[in-house]
Amino acid sequence: MSGEASPWPHIVALGDARRGASMHLVADDSARAAIAKALDIESLEALEADVQLSEWLDGVEIAGAWRARIVQICGVSLDPFETALNGRFSVRAVPPGSPNAPADPVGEIAIDEEAEDPPDLLESENLDVGFYVVEQLALEIDPFPRKPDVEFEQPEGPTPSSPFDVLRGLKRD
């Protein structure tokens, strides 16, 4: 989704966000359709989020909780099924040119799984709160959905021959 237009834009000026704000976001029909298309799911039945914005260094911290109901297609039965998802998140972002922006990596990158994530670098002095909620939803969607209680059963049919069976057929008696 990065680099694309947000399917659910809720733009807040960085200066306003740094003063602190609370938002309750509810996706309407057209927003849910756009998000479902962007996330390549059958449909998004509901999405809402409670988000708090607060000052962090020269940027902002975005903390929130979200709830969603999605419909996906089962990878085994090809039946649509609904799943309830929810989550909490906290992300930090800094404006362009910030001295607190993460440095571009040079050479080998060492990853510390226990360390906090570096802040996001905003492209402008505006913050798209809806983008962060959709991003968190995208992270929770199962890329290989399976309807509950559906089991894969190998279809009956001819067993595949091995390469040695082919060689046996070429052998002269």
Side-chain angles (χ1 to χ4, degrees), residues 82-106:
E82 187 173 292
T83 304
L85 300 171
N86 61 66
R88 296 187 162 286
F89 67 97
S90 179
V91 179
R92 295 173 176 154
V94 293
S98 169
N100 300 303
D104 287 332
V106 177

Side-chain angles (χ1 to χ4, degrees), residues 61-72:
E61 181 171 15
I62 307 121
W66 58 270
R67 297 154 300 288
R69 285 190 343 269
I70 65 170
V71 175
Q72 290 181 283

Side-chain angles (χ1 to χ4, degrees), residues 20-49:
S22 292
M23 305 171 76
H24 180 73
L25 308 175
V26 179
D28 62 17
D29 291 343
S30 63
R32 290 194 318 266
I35 295 166
K37 182 178 180 184
L39 299 180
D40 195 25
I41 58 176
E42 191 69 13
S43 70
L44 177 60
E45 299 299 307
L47 175 61
E48 59 183 278

